[in-house]
Amino acid sequence: MPWFLVLQRLGIAILTLIIVSFAVFFATELLPGDVAQILLGQAATPEAVAGLRKAMGLDEPAILRFLSWLFGFLRGDLGTSYVNHMAVADLVSGRLVNSLKLAGITTLISVPVALSLGIGAAMWRGSWFDRIVSILTISVISVPEFMVATLSVLIFAVWLGWLPALSYGAADATTFGAMLKAYAMPVITLTFVVSAQMIRMTRAAVIETINTPYVEMALLKGASRKRMVLKHALPNALGPIANAIALSLSYLVGGVIIVETIFNYPGVAKLMVDAVSTRDLPLIQSCAMIFCISYLLLITLADLTAILSNPRLRR
Amino acid sequence: MTFKPTNWTGRDDAMVENMIRRGASRRDLLKMLMASGVGMAAGGSLLLGANKAVAATPVSGGVLKAAGWSSSTADTLDPAKASLSTDYVNCCAFYNRLTFLDEQGQVQMELADTINTDDAKTWEIKLKSGVTFHDGKALVAEDVVYSLKRHLDPAVGSKAAAMAGQMSEISKIDDLTVKVVLSGANADLPTIFAMHHFMIIADGTTDFTKANGTGAFICEAFEPGVHSIGKKNPNYFKSEGPYLDGFEFFAIADTNARVNALLSGDIHVGASLNPRSVRLMDGKPGVTTSITTSGSYTDLNIRLDMEPGSKADFVEGMKYLVNREAIQKSILRGMAEIGNDQPISSANRYHNPNLKPRAYDPDKAKHHFEKSGLLGTEIPMVASSAANSSVDMATIIQQMGQQIGMKLKVDQVPPDGYWSNYWLKSAVHFGNINPRPTPDILFSLLYASDAPWNESHYKSEKFDKMMLEARGSLDEDKRTSIYWDMQEMVANEAGTIIPAFISNVDGLSDKVGGMRANPLGALMGFSFLEYVWLNA
């Protein structure tokens, strides 16, 4: 039976990918201007645009170009950028590695911190610890990330001079210390952004299970508070927690445009923004697929976690 | 510690330095400083400091890190396609042009040894001998022929295609001589060759993933949207420079992030700061600003061939309504020169200094609006962040209109697609023009009857004739007087209002020496890497 579930998930994922690629394509088509016009900018006289379009093969209908990209993608070929004629795979690969590095380091730090704070807050609900955590998370949620990022640059780079203002070059930092320094501020900013959500969801999910009769039963039977939370309540709360984590982390690949901009970090989010502003269809589609795939992967992982942790869902 | 008057900031230092570079004498400057309330003694010490900053001796070595303001996957090493600051900086570092413009706007030879003509129509270009490309190949006539001919091929998508269109014949005479024949006489050809798009590449180059030029730096790495890295060319053909061992250039799109990176010492040069960030930098140790005016402007265009611009009195009224001083002082915070509705800035040697900007006069404006019958009618003005500061300008013009009962509406539209959908198309809209080296380029691009970017659809046979006459003439005095008259014509007759020439403000670490103004744009016309040095 679980096999069927997994297959069903996979089928849905592939269908979602196709729908997303069509949606992104149509959205791109709605944008004013095409790549020839954008490339020529102010110098776009009708003759120049027509000449360039012809030279680039843009005179074919857009839908045909899209379909040929889609079939190429299915064969594993991401196509060639309209704008600089480099292979999209080359353009994306370096940036994707950077993004995954940043996302990975942020995950390694934010998930344990968020889980322990969230579970702790639920365990000692109403205590000063819980209150401090709640106040902190709410204030962090309310502060936009450009503010956190800019403030941290002002404090740690400009005033104190401890850290570099740009994480640009973090990707080729040689020593561990240099890497730590380069990644410190973007990771702290992102941890602020994603942890708050995870902490609140974890706390809520654990509290909800604590309130169920069987946990109360465990307590009545003499289980310690710690044992009650970790052994009885937590496994049942894992599903919603995994979902909250997946939702927060899915943001780390495509949604970090502000952090990439402020710290000048060369990741895929900026690549997508560039691609949209130059109407570079193959690059837009490839980035969209990457975001969609990473999102689906995380959601599927969360689902599987939920299924495995909760026997009732297996049926 | 030199004594400085109150309210004296790094910006003022930069202004005085800039004036010295332009050739203002000590006496002129002292007079100016005293007029603005600075005492004799203080003025003297200020000038001493500024002179020192201008006349420092170059130092060799060091790797400069500089940040521009825009960069994307569309960045290119193909000079024909170059379109933004980052492209220009890279092209200037890796390639050379036949000629270049110095700070006074005079043509100097670069790869060309001489450029000769008798009739401004047939040109003979002799190349310097002994110049080599980075891959070791010697520079020959074929390279120049190939580089110039590329612009005529629509498949290349050259930004200078219109400019190159006049070259009807480009051919090799011998190994170091090229002949260019123009379809019509044009005495400005040597200046046109100084434009960034006319950089010389090796014959047959089609791959632009790495640059192979004759330039001061050899391309080590180029990743569009990320950075470019260059190292000093040991075989550079010029006797002086480059002073740097190498450079890394990238863009930080966010102005605050750019200033922060400069303040924290991560970069040595942060280009194009806005007036607000300049305030942030004033008085901070280790950083200075370089303010230069090279002729870029944001203008209000009223199309003369559509309502309401077809009513001459409306245009006249608008010219009186635009408060140029308020725009210069409040919107551009003093970092601009007041314009007089014609495109040739004071950085250009053909600028007409006798043509005064029209004074703000709401009464006269009202009179003309009444005469046009449009007073009280709602007139939309299209503005967008695509044209620098245009939204602010529109708002200020709207407020001035309100005071005399003229209803102007600000239509703010997104920057995406602005240049293809609104610019040149709407009845009243804003444009944004980058500096161009010669009056002829500006006039033929923007004001001639058949100009591709005739922003106000201005048509005048007399003007077109004068333009052709000046273009074909090799007599400097005659050209100057014609250009002065033409400036007066467009200021009075065309529907473009140019309130101010906007200054380029670059932030520099005080380690950087040798940065000067150039009429081709910010960062010494984007060629700063070849000329600046790093003090240890």
Side-chain angles (χ1 to χ4, degrees), chain A residues 32 39-40 42-43 52 55 83-84 95 153 157 164-166 168 262 264 270-271 274 279, chain B residues 71-74 155 159 224-227 248 250-252 257 260 264 266 416 419 421 432 453:
Chain A
L39 275 183
L40 288 165
Q42 271 185 324
L52 192 58
V83 172
N84 54 24
R95 301 278 199 111
V153 171
L166 307 173
Y168 170 82
I262 291 185
N264 231 44
K270 178 89 191 329
L271 192 67
D274 281 0
R279 313 286 185 267
Chain B
S71 166
S72 76
T73 52
K159 291 261 161 49
V226 185
H227 65 172
E248 178 171 12
F250 49 95
I252 306 173
N260 285 337
S264 68
D266 282 4
D416 234 20
W419 301 113
N421 298 331
N432 187 222
W453 299 354

mmCIF file of all heavy atoms in Angstrom, chain A residues 32 39-40 42-43 52 55 83-84 95 153 157 164-166 168 262 264 270-271 274 279, chain B residues 71-74 155 159 224-227 248 250-252 257 260 264 266 416 419 421 432 453:
data_model
loop_
_atom_site.group_PDB
_atom_site.id
_atom_site.type_symbol
_atom_site.label_atom_id
_atom_site.label_comp_id
_atom_site.label_asym_id
_atom_site.label_seq_id
_atom_site.Cartn_x
_atom_site.Cartn_y
_atom_site.Cartn_z
ATOM 1 N N PRO A 32 5.413 42.835 -21.183
ATOM 2 C CA PRO A 32 5.610 43.653 -22.380
ATOM 3 C C PRO A 32 7.016 43.452 -22.962
ATOM 4 O O PRO A 32 7.976 43.298 -22.225
ATOM 5 C CB PRO A 32 5.446 45.076 -21.859
ATOM 6 C CG PRO A 32 5.741 44.997 -20.399
ATOM 7 C CD PRO A 32 5.324 43.625 -19.969
ATOM 8 N N LEU A 39 17.115 43.608 -25.348
ATOM 9 C CA LEU A 39 18.555 43.641 -25.614
ATOM 10 C C LEU A 39 18.955 44.956 -26.256
ATOM 11 O O LEU A 39 19.999 45.516 -25.957
ATOM 12 C CB LEU A 39 18.949 42.494 -26.548
ATOM 13 C CG LEU A 39 19.226 41.154 -25.898
ATOM 14 C CD1 LEU A 39 19.677 40.161 -26.930
ATOM 15 C CD2 LEU A 39 20.284 41.298 -24.810
ATOM 16 N N LEU A 40 18.112 45.446 -27.162
ATOM 17 C CA LEU A 40 18.455 46.681 -27.851
ATOM 18 C C LEU A 40 18.121 47.907 -27.014
ATOM 19 O O LEU A 40 18.661 48.981 -27.237
ATOM 20 C CB LEU A 40 17.744 46.743 -29.205
ATOM 21 C CG LEU A 40 18.323 45.771 -30.233
ATOM 22 C CD1 LEU A 40 17.383 45.590 -31.404
ATOM 23 C CD2 LEU A 40 19.668 46.249 -30.730
ATOM 24 N N GLN A 42 17.036 51.210 -25.531
ATOM 25 C CA GLN A 42 16.637 52.456 -26.171
ATOM 26 C C GLN A 42 16.958 52.441 -27.663
ATOM 27 O O GLN A 42 16.375 53.193 -28.421
ATOM 28 C CB GLN A 42 17.352 53.626 -25.511
ATOM 29 C CG GLN A 42 16.594 54.197 -24.327
ATOM 30 C CD GLN A 42 17.262 55.432 -23.776
ATOM 31 O OE1 GLN A 42 18.460 55.523 -23.759
ATOM 32 N NE2 GLN A 42 16.479 56.365 -23.305
ATOM 33 N N ALA A 43 17.904 51.568 -28.082
ATOM 34 C CA ALA A 43 18.298 51.552 -29.495
ATOM 35 C C ALA A 43 17.398 50.668 -30.343
ATOM 36 O O ALA A 43 17.750 50.321 -31.461
ATOM 37 C CB ALA A 43 19.748 51.094 -29.619
ATOM 38 N N LEU A 52 17.323 41.409 -35.481
ATOM 39 C CA LEU A 52 17.828 40.604 -34.370
ATOM 40 C C LEU A 52 16.913 39.410 -34.111
ATOM 41 O O LEU A 52 17.359 38.289 -33.878
ATOM 42 C CB LEU A 52 17.947 41.473 -33.117
ATOM 43 C CG LEU A 52 18.719 40.858 -31.963
ATOM 44 C CD1 LEU A 52 20.127 40.510 -32.389
ATOM 45 C CD2 LEU A 52 18.751 41.805 -30.770
ATOM 46 N N ALA A 55 17.652 36.803 -36.607
ATOM 47 C CA ALA A 55 18.941 36.166 -36.353
ATOM 48 C C ALA A 55 18.864 35.199 -35.169
ATOM 49 O O ALA A 55 19.566 34.200 -35.122
ATOM 50 C CB ALA A 55 19.998 37.229 -36.090
ATOM 51 N N VAL A 83 20.036 35.462 -24.271
ATOM 52 C CA VAL A 83 20.713 36.725 -24.060
ATOM 53 C C VAL A 83 22.211 36.641 -24.294
ATOM 54 O O VAL A 83 22.790 37.457 -24.989
ATOM 55 C CB VAL A 83 20.404 37.242 -22.644
ATOM 56 C CG1 VAL A 83 21.252 38.453 -22.319
ATOM 57 C CG2 VAL A 83 18.936 37.592 -22.548
ATOM 58 N N ASN A 84 22.872 35.640 -23.706
ATOM 59 C CA ASN A 84 24.325 35.608 -23.873
ATOM 60 C C ASN A 84 24.824 34.330 -24.540
ATOM 61 O O ASN A 84 26.033 34.067 -24.547
ATOM 62 C CB ASN A 84 25.034 35.847 -22.548
ATOM 63 C CG ASN A 84 24.560 34.891 -21.491
ATOM 64 O OD1 ASN A 84 24.077 33.811 -21.806
ATOM 65 N ND2 ASN A 84 24.684 35.269 -20.241
ATOM 66 N N ARG A 95 25.423 28.739 -9.971
ATOM 67 C CA ARG A 95 24.534 29.495 -9.089
ATOM 68 C C ARG A 95 23.732 28.571 -8.183
ATOM 69 O O ARG A 95 23.496 28.872 -7.019
ATOM 70 C CB ARG A 95 23.573 30.325 -9.936
ATOM 71 C CG ARG A 95 24.225 31.295 -10.866
ATOM 72 C CD ARG A 95 24.591 32.550 -10.126
ATOM 73 N NE ARG A 95 24.800 33.645 -11.046
ATOM 74 C CZ ARG A 95 23.978 34.708 -11.141
ATOM 75 N NH1 ARG A 95 22.934 34.791 -10.391
ATOM 76 N NH2 ARG A 95 24.231 35.663 -12.000
ATOM 77 N N VAL A 153 24.539 44.459 8.500
ATOM 78 C CA VAL A 153 25.702 44.991 7.773
ATOM 79 C C VAL A 153 26.222 46.246 8.473
ATOM 80 O O VAL A 153 27.421 46.396 8.711
ATOM 81 C CB VAL A 153 25.335 45.331 6.308
ATOM 82 C CG1 VAL A 153 26.478 46.068 5.639
ATOM 83 C CG2 VAL A 153 25.026 44.073 5.543
ATOM 84 N N ALA A 157 29.619 45.039 9.873
ATOM 85 C CA ALA A 157 30.619 45.347 8.842
ATOM 86 C C ALA A 157 31.092 46.788 8.936
ATOM 87 O O ALA A 157 32.283 47.063 8.931
ATOM 88 C CB ALA A 157 30.048 45.061 7.463
ATOM 89 N N PRO A 164 32.850 40.876 6.548
ATOM 90 C CA PRO A 164 32.777 41.596 5.278
ATOM 91 C C PRO A 164 31.327 41.965 4.955
ATOM 92 O O PRO A 164 30.418 41.219 5.314
ATOM 93 C CB PRO A 164 33.314 40.588 4.266
ATOM 94 C CG PRO A 164 33.101 39.258 4.892
ATOM 95 C CD PRO A 164 33.163 39.454 6.376
ATOM 96 N N ALA A 165 31.132 43.106 4.291
ATOM 97 C CA ALA A 165 29.772 43.545 3.978
ATOM 98 C C ALA A 165 29.168 42.709 2.855
ATOM 99 O O ALA A 165 27.961 42.635 2.710
ATOM 100 C CB ALA A 165 29.771 45.017 3.579
ATOM 101 N N LEU A 166 30.017 42.087 2.043
ATOM 102 C CA LEU A 166 29.526 41.295 0.914
ATOM 103 C C LEU A 166 29.871 39.839 1.127
ATOM 104 O O LEU A 166 30.961 39.512 1.556
ATOM 105 C CB LEU A 166 30.189 41.768 -0.374
ATOM 106 C CG LEU A 166 30.118 43.242 -0.686
ATOM 107 C CD1 LEU A 166 30.965 43.554 -1.892
ATOM 108 C CD2 LEU A 166 28.684 43.637 -0.938
ATOM 109 N N TYR A 168 29.682 38.020 -1.372
ATOM 110 C CA TYR A 168 30.169 37.807 -2.686
ATOM 111 C C TYR A 168 31.532 37.168 -2.547
ATOM 112 O O TYR A 168 32.342 37.636 -1.775
ATOM 113 C CB TYR A 168 30.280 39.192 -3.265
ATOM 114 C CG TYR A 168 30.970 39.197 -4.505
ATOM 115 C CD1 TYR A 168 30.287 38.882 -5.647
ATOM 116 C CD2 TYR A 168 32.316 39.453 -4.540
ATOM 117 C CE1 TYR A 168 30.944 38.868 -6.820
ATOM 118 C CE2 TYR A 168 32.955 39.431 -5.713
ATOM 119 C CZ TYR A 168 32.272 39.136 -6.842
ATOM 120 O OH TYR A 168 32.929 39.104 -8.006
ATOM 121 N N ILE A 262 21.327 42.155 -1.173
ATOM 122 C CA ILE A 262 22.042 42.984 -0.194
ATOM 123 C C ILE A 262 23.465 42.485 0.026
ATOM 124 O O ILE A 262 24.405 43.267 0.129
ATOM 125 C CB ILE A 262 21.243 43.050 1.122
ATOM 126 C CG1 ILE A 262 19.983 43.860 0.855
ATOM 127 C CG2 ILE A 262 22.086 43.669 2.234
ATOM 128 C CD1 ILE A 262 19.143 44.125 2.038
ATOM 129 N N ASN A 264 25.089 40.636 -2.111
ATOM 130 C CA ASN A 264 25.683 40.355 -3.414
ATOM 131 C C ASN A 264 26.123 38.906 -3.540
ATOM 132 O O ASN A 264 27.254 38.608 -3.905
ATOM 133 C CB ASN A 264 26.872 41.272 -3.652
ATOM 134 C CG ASN A 264 26.745 41.951 -4.982
ATOM 135 O OD1 ASN A 264 25.663 42.412 -5.321
ATOM 136 N ND2 ASN A 264 27.798 41.974 -5.744
ATOM 137 N N LYS A 270 18.483 35.557 -7.941
ATOM 138 C CA LYS A 270 18.890 36.717 -8.750
ATOM 139 C C LYS A 270 18.925 36.333 -10.232
ATOM 140 O O LYS A 270 18.569 37.136 -11.092
ATOM 141 C CB LYS A 270 20.267 37.182 -8.278
ATOM 142 C CG LYS A 270 20.851 38.343 -9.026
ATOM 143 C CD LYS A 270 20.424 39.650 -8.410
ATOM 144 C CE LYS A 270 20.753 40.857 -9.267
ATOM 145 N NZ LYS A 270 21.940 40.752 -10.106
ATOM 146 N N LEU A 271 19.326 35.108 -10.487
ATOM 147 C CA LEU A 271 19.385 34.629 -11.869
ATOM 148 C C LEU A 271 17.993 34.669 -12.494
ATOM 149 O O LEU A 271 17.811 35.100 -13.636
ATOM 150 C CB LEU A 271 19.932 33.199 -11.882
ATOM 151 C CG LEU A 271 20.333 32.620 -13.227
ATOM 152 C CD1 LEU A 271 21.535 33.351 -13.769
ATOM 153 C CD2 LEU A 271 20.645 31.134 -13.094
ATOM 154 N N ASP A 274 16.967 38.255 -13.201
ATOM 155 C CA ASP A 274 17.647 38.689 -14.437
ATOM 156 C C ASP A 274 16.929 38.133 -15.655
ATOM 157 O O ASP A 274 16.694 38.837 -16.634
ATOM 158 C CB ASP A 274 19.082 38.146 -14.484
ATOM 159 C CG ASP A 274 20.014 38.960 -13.619
ATOM 160 O OD1 ASP A 274 19.541 39.932 -13.005
ATOM 161 O OD2 ASP A 274 21.205 38.622 -13.564
ATOM 162 N N ARG A 279 13.591 38.727 -20.430
ATOM 163 C CA ARG A 279 12.672 37.867 -21.197
ATOM 164 C C ARG A 279 13.396 36.674 -21.814
ATOM 165 O O ARG A 279 13.142 36.311 -22.953
ATOM 166 C CB ARG A 279 11.975 38.644 -22.307
ATOM 167 C CG ARG A 279 11.397 39.969 -21.909
ATOM 168 C CD ARG A 279 10.139 39.824 -21.092
ATOM 169 N NE ARG A 279 9.578 41.137 -20.841
ATOM 170 C CZ ARG A 279 9.826 41.872 -19.756
ATOM 171 N NH1 ARG A 279 10.642 41.403 -18.819
ATOM 172 N NH2 ARG A 279 9.284 43.043 -19.596
ATOM 173 N N SER B 71 24.090 44.831 -13.205
ATOM 174 C CA SER B 71 24.753 43.677 -13.788
ATOM 175 C C SER B 71 23.721 42.576 -13.872
ATOM 176 O O SER B 71 22.870 42.458 -13.010
ATOM 177 C CB SER B 71 25.901 43.262 -12.870
ATOM 178 O OG SER B 71 26.365 41.993 -13.211
ATOM 179 N N SER B 72 23.748 41.814 -14.937
ATOM 180 C CA SER B 72 22.789 40.731 -15.058
ATOM 181 C C SER B 72 23.367 39.704 -16.007
ATOM 182 O O SER B 72 24.479 39.869 -16.501
ATOM 183 C CB SER B 72 21.455 41.246 -15.598
ATOM 184 O OG SER B 72 21.558 41.493 -16.976
ATOM 185 N N THR B 73 22.585 38.661 -16.284
ATOM 186 C CA THR B 73 23.064 37.655 -17.223
ATOM 187 C C THR B 73 23.202 38.245 -18.622
ATOM 188 O O THR B 73 23.766 37.616 -19.500
ATOM 189 C CB THR B 73 22.109 36.465 -17.290
ATOM 190 O OG1 THR B 73 20.802 36.971 -17.537
ATOM 191 C CG2 THR B 73 22.114 35.693 -16.001
ATOM 192 N N ALA B 74 22.676 39.460 -18.830
ATOM 193 C CA ALA B 74 22.804 40.088 -20.146
ATOM 194 C C ALA B 74 24.153 40.784 -20.306
ATOM 195 O O ALA B 74 24.430 41.339 -21.365
ATOM 196 C CB ALA B 74 21.670 41.086 -20.365
ATOM 197 N N ALA B 155 22.321 40.784 -37.622
ATOM 198 C CA ALA B 155 22.353 39.615 -36.746
ATOM 199 C C ALA B 155 23.214 39.859 -35.506
ATOM 200 O O ALA B 155 23.048 39.206 -34.493
ATOM 201 C CB ALA B 155 22.872 38.400 -37.512
ATOM 202 N N LYS B 159 24.401 48.069 -30.976
ATOM 203 C CA LYS B 159 23.738 49.263 -30.447
ATOM 204 C C LYS B 159 24.136 50.482 -31.259
ATOM 205 O O LYS B 159 23.511 51.524 -31.179
ATOM 206 C CB LYS B 159 24.172 49.466 -28.992
ATOM 207 C CG LYS B 159 23.635 48.414 -28.073
ATOM 208 C CD LYS B 159 22.420 48.976 -27.379
ATOM 209 C CE LYS B 159 21.539 47.922 -26.792
ATOM 210 N NZ LYS B 159 22.167 46.927 -26.005
ATOM 211 N N PRO B 224 28.820 36.534 -16.527
ATOM 212 C CA PRO B 224 27.780 37.551 -16.631
ATOM 213 C C PRO B 224 26.879 37.534 -15.400
ATOM 214 O O PRO B 224 26.443 36.473 -14.957
ATOM 215 C CB PRO B 224 27.010 37.162 -17.895
ATOM 216 C CG PRO B 224 27.455 35.800 -18.255
ATOM 217 C CD PRO B 224 28.776 35.562 -17.619
ATOM 218 N N GLY B 225 26.651 38.703 -14.852
ATOM 219 C CA GLY B 225 25.805 38.805 -13.669
ATOM 220 C C GLY B 225 26.548 38.538 -12.384
ATOM 221 O O GLY B 225 25.990 38.679 -11.307
ATOM 222 N N VAL B 226 27.805 38.127 -12.471
ATOM 223 C CA VAL B 226 28.574 37.871 -11.247
ATOM 224 C C VAL B 226 29.773 38.830 -11.168
ATOM 225 O O VAL B 226 29.770 39.755 -10.368
ATOM 226 C CB VAL B 226 29.035 36.409 -11.158
ATOM 227 C CG1 VAL B 226 29.722 36.155 -9.823
ATOM 228 C CG2 VAL B 226 27.842 35.471 -11.294
ATOM 229 N N HIS B 227 30.783 38.641 -11.968
ATOM 230 C CA HIS B 227 31.934 39.543 -11.895
ATOM 231 C C HIS B 227 32.852 39.380 -13.110
ATOM 232 O O HIS B 227 32.687 38.475 -13.916
ATOM 233 C CB HIS B 227 32.737 39.307 -10.607
ATOM 234 C CG HIS B 227 33.385 37.958 -10.542
ATOM 235 N ND1 HIS B 227 34.273 37.597 -9.562
ATOM 236 C CD2 HIS B 227 33.284 36.881 -11.340
ATOM 237 C CE1 HIS B 227 34.683 36.366 -9.771
ATOM 238 N NE2 HIS B 227 34.095 35.906 -10.837
ATOM 239 N N GLU B 248 38.952 43.626 -9.887
ATOM 240 C CA GLU B 248 37.748 42.804 -9.901
ATOM 241 C C GLU B 248 36.577 43.768 -9.966
ATOM 242 O O GLU B 248 36.495 44.705 -9.168
ATOM 243 C CB GLU B 248 37.669 41.950 -8.635
ATOM 244 C CG GLU B 248 36.403 41.115 -8.614
ATOM 245 C CD GLU B 248 36.374 40.096 -7.486
ATOM 246 O OE1 GLU B 248 37.238 40.202 -6.594
ATOM 247 O OE2 GLU B 248 35.495 39.231 -7.502
ATOM 248 N N PHE B 250 32.355 44.173 -10.218
ATOM 249 C CA PHE B 250 31.043 43.528 -10.127
ATOM 250 C C PHE B 250 30.042 44.617 -9.806
ATOM 251 O O PHE B 250 30.414 45.779 -9.669
ATOM 252 C CB PHE B 250 31.047 42.437 -9.070
ATOM 253 C CG PHE B 250 31.621 42.841 -7.752
ATOM 254 C CD1 PHE B 250 30.808 43.292 -6.732
ATOM 255 C CD2 PHE B 250 32.994 42.760 -7.534
ATOM 256 C CE1 PHE B 250 31.360 43.674 -5.512
ATOM 257 C CE2 PHE B 250 33.540 43.141 -6.322
ATOM 258 C CZ PHE B 250 32.723 43.593 -5.303
ATOM 259 N N ALA B 251 28.777 44.242 -9.698
ATOM 260 C CA ALA B 251 27.779 45.257 -9.409
ATOM 261 C C ALA B 251 27.089 44.957 -8.092
ATOM 262 O O ALA B 251 26.886 43.799 -7.741
ATOM 263 C CB ALA B 251 26.756 45.315 -10.525
ATOM 264 N N ILE B 252 26.786 46.019 -7.349
ATOM 265 C CA ILE B 252 25.923 45.886 -6.177
ATOM 266 C C ILE B 252 24.730 46.766 -6.483
ATOM 267 O O ILE B 252 24.845 47.993 -6.498
ATOM 268 C CB ILE B 252 26.638 46.363 -4.905
ATOM 269 C CG1 ILE B 252 27.972 45.647 -4.731
ATOM 270 C CG2 ILE B 252 25.752 46.153 -3.688
ATOM 271 C CD1 ILE B 252 28.803 46.183 -3.584
ATOM 272 N N ALA B 257 23.677 49.084 0.069
ATOM 273 C CA ALA B 257 24.653 48.004 0.191
ATOM 274 C C ALA B 257 25.980 48.438 -0.411
ATOM 275 O O ALA B 257 27.053 48.102 0.099
ATOM 276 C CB ALA B 257 24.131 46.744 -0.501
ATOM 277 N N ASN B 260 27.610 50.759 2.059
ATOM 278 C CA ASN B 260 28.097 49.984 3.201
ATOM 279 C C ASN B 260 29.367 49.220 2.856
ATOM 280 O O ASN B 260 30.300 49.153 3.661
ATOM 281 C CB ASN B 260 27.021 49.010 3.681
ATOM 282 C CG ASN B 260 25.933 49.724 4.440
ATOM 283 O OD1 ASN B 260 26.159 50.815 4.974
ATOM 284 N ND2 ASN B 260 24.762 49.132 4.482
ATOM 285 N N SER B 264 32.874 49.783 4.755
ATOM 286 C CA SER B 264 33.530 48.702 5.484
ATOM 287 C C SER B 264 34.848 48.303 4.811
ATOM 288 O O SER B 264 35.537 47.417 5.289
ATOM 289 C CB SER B 264 32.604 47.492 5.590
ATOM 290 O OG SER B 264 32.430 46.925 4.323
ATOM 291 N N ASP B 266 35.303 46.881 1.872
ATOM 292 C CA ASP B 266 35.257 45.716 0.991
ATOM 293 C C ASP B 266 35.509 46.088 -0.469
ATOM 294 O O ASP B 266 35.953 45.263 -1.247
ATOM 295 C CB ASP B 266 33.886 45.021 1.081
ATOM 296 C CG ASP B 266 33.780 44.193 2.327
ATOM 297 O OD1 ASP B 266 34.740 44.229 3.124
ATOM 298 O OD2 ASP B 266 32.768 43.517 2.519
ATOM 299 N N ASP B 416 9.419 48.494 -16.420
ATOM 300 C CA ASP B 416 9.470 47.399 -17.385
ATOM 301 C C ASP B 416 8.777 47.819 -18.671
ATOM 302 O O ASP B 416 7.602 48.134 -18.665
ATOM 303 C CB ASP B 416 8.710 46.204 -16.782
ATOM 304 C CG ASP B 416 9.564 44.975 -16.772
ATOM 305 O OD1 ASP B 416 10.789 45.114 -16.858
ATOM 306 O OD2 ASP B 416 8.993 43.876 -16.681
ATOM 307 N N TRP B 419 10.660 51.966 -22.197
ATOM 308 C CA TRP B 419 11.290 52.527 -23.382
ATOM 309 C C TRP B 419 10.577 52.113 -24.662
ATOM 310 O O TRP B 419 10.600 52.831 -25.653
ATOM 311 C CB TRP B 419 12.767 52.153 -23.439
ATOM 312 C CG TRP B 419 13.472 52.643 -22.230
ATOM 313 C CD1 TRP B 419 14.024 51.891 -21.234
ATOM 314 C CD2 TRP B 419 13.650 54.013 -21.825
ATOM 315 N NE1 TRP B 419 14.528 52.710 -20.253
ATOM 316 C CE2 TRP B 419 14.323 54.008 -20.588
ATOM 317 C CE3 TRP B 419 13.303 55.233 -22.386
ATOM 318 C CZ2 TRP B 419 14.652 55.175 -19.901
ATOM 319 C CZ3 TRP B 419 13.637 56.401 -21.706
ATOM 320 C CH2 TRP B 419 14.307 56.361 -20.488
ATOM 321 N N ASN B 421 7.174 51.208 -24.739
ATOM 322 C CA ASN B 421 5.738 51.469 -24.736
ATOM 323 C C ASN B 421 5.328 52.915 -24.499
ATOM 324 O O ASN B 421 4.257 53.330 -24.920
ATOM 325 C CB ASN B 421 5.042 50.589 -23.695
ATOM 326 C CG ASN B 421 5.212 49.119 -24.006
ATOM 327 O OD1 ASN B 421 5.337 48.750 -25.163
ATOM 328 N ND2 ASN B 421 5.252 48.295 -22.981
ATOM 329 N N ASN B 432 15.250 59.940 -20.731
ATOM 330 C CA ASN B 432 16.494 59.935 -19.978
ATOM 331 C C ASN B 432 17.615 59.680 -20.980
ATOM 332 O O ASN B 432 17.628 58.645 -21.635
ATOM 333 C CB ASN B 432 16.419 58.824 -18.925
ATOM 334 C CG ASN B 432 17.589 58.855 -17.979
ATOM 335 O OD1 ASN B 432 18.132 57.811 -17.643
ATOM 336 N ND2 ASN B 432 17.994 60.013 -17.555
ATOM 337 N N TRP B 453 15.164 59.033 -32.392
ATOM 338 C CA TRP B 453 14.638 59.320 -31.058
ATOM 339 C C TRP B 453 14.194 60.759 -30.946
ATOM 340 O O TRP B 453 14.516 61.448 -29.997
ATOM 341 C CB TRP B 453 15.709 59.065 -29.985
ATOM 342 C CG TRP B 453 16.211 57.686 -29.904
ATOM 343 C CD1 TRP B 453 15.764 56.598 -30.577
ATOM 344 C CD2 TRP B 453 17.286 57.222 -29.068
ATOM 345 N NE1 TRP B 453 16.487 55.497 -30.230
ATOM 346 C CE2 TRP B 453 17.427 55.849 -29.300
ATOM 347 C CE3 TRP B 453 18.122 57.840 -28.154
ATOM 348 C CZ2 TRP B 453 18.388 55.081 -28.658
ATOM 349 C CZ3 TRP B 453 19.067 57.080 -27.506
ATOM 350 C CH2 TRP B 453 19.199 55.710 -27.741
#
